[in-house]
Amino acid sequence: PMALLRSVIYLLWQIVTVVPYAIATLVASIFVRGDPLYWICVQWLRVVVWGAKVFCGIETRVQGMEHVPDSPIILCPKHQSAWETLAFPTLMPHPLCYVFKRELLWVPFFGWAIGRLDMIHIDRSKRNLAWSKVAEQGKRFMEHGNWVIMFPEGTRTPVGMHRRYKVGGAHLAVETGVPLVPVALNAGEFWSRRAFIK
């Protein structure tokens, strides 16, 4: 019962905090774009990660960051939960360009805000066009010092299960000569895709 209550409070925390930050992002996007707008959004993500710790006891521990180059890279993490999509921008020193399905742009406030950022939203039903967009925009964003982040499994995968890895990240690495950095994580043990309780 207590874990359920904490999870409900945390969900309400996310909803209540996303609205002012999203509005601030939309207003700011009239005047600035690129990195400054990205870091405004990261402030909300810091609030969300802080809330996960305070309300649900979810701590973040990172190992191996010393092996990550400071130059442009392509991050290819496991995808087990919503945690990694929210926490990674707070952990990485450079702006991240997520490759994501365009349907997320329709999520009120959250989607509207990320639609103003330098991200790569794709139509997964048009695979060839999607890859062309990833290659063209990914290369352009990395030339500006951003990092591209792609989930090679394509969708969230429960702990202990494996999906066939898609090769988009590897193709982009070969085409651009930028290192690909795989990332292992265990977020799904604490923030499951199907279980509401965290």
Side-chain angles (χ1 to χ4, degrees):
M2 184 55 72
L4 175 60
L5 177 60
R6 287 158 65 104
S7 297
V8 169
I9 292 171
Y10 180 54
L11 176 62
L12 293 174
W13 173 255
Q14 290 177 281
I15 293 170
V16 167
T17 56
V18 74
V19 174
Y21 275 99
I23 292 172
T25 300
L26 293 171
V27 172
S29 71
I30 299 171
F31 308 101
V32 297
R33 298 301 290 270
D35 291 1
L37 202 61
Y38 174 87
W39 293 116
I40 290 173
C41 290
V42 170
Q43 294 311 308
W44 174 68
L45 296 174
R46 292 187 199 286
V47 169
V48 169
V49 171
W50 177 86
K53 179 179 179 180
V54 170
F55 299 120
C56 301
I58 297 176
E59 301 262 2
T60 301
R61 185 175 70 226
V62 179
Q63 295 175 296
M65 188 67 88
E66 67 275 12
H67 302 297
V68 179
D70 195 40
S71 56
I73 59 173
I74 301 162
L75 286 173
C76 286
K78 292 286 290 181
H79 197 11
Q80 297 178 347
S81 73
W83 176 87
E84 53 268 17
T85 61
L86 299 171
F88 272 37
T90 71
L91 301 172
M92 301 301 167
H94 293 271
L96 301 181
C97 298
Y98 280 81
V99 178
F100 63 90
K101 59 185 179 182
R102 66 175 183 171
E103 288 82 1
L104 288 178
L105 297 173
W106 306 334
V107 177
F109 296 102
F110 175 81
W112 305 339
I114 62 173
R116 305 299 290 169
L117 303 179
D118 291 337
M119 303 284 173
I120 306 169
H121 39 90
I122 58 172
D123 182 349
R124 293 198 294 191
S125 68
K126 300 176 181 175
R127 297 179 70 89
N128 289 336
L129 286 175
W131 162 245
S132 297
K133 187 173 187 179
V134 169
E136 184 266 321
Q137 292 189 352
K139 184 175 182 180
R140 178 160 49 88
F141 290 144
M142 286 189 289
E143 285 173 352
H144 288 92
N146 295 9
W147 292 0
V148 170
I149 180 168
M150 306 173 72
F151 296 108
E153 290 170 296
T155 189
R156 288 172 291 176
T157 304
V159 176
M161 288 185 61
H162 302 281
R163 297 182 194 274
R164 182 173 180 169
Y165 286 179
K166 294 176 171 56
V167 296
H171 276 310
L172 186 60
V174 169
E175 189 162 310
T176 60
V178 170
L180 184 150
V181 178
V183 183
L185 50 83
N186 67 342
E189 295 179 17
F190 308 95
W191 186 320
S192 166
R193 175 181 181 176
R194 291 185 174 85
F196 173 75
I197 296 176
K198 296 169 182 57

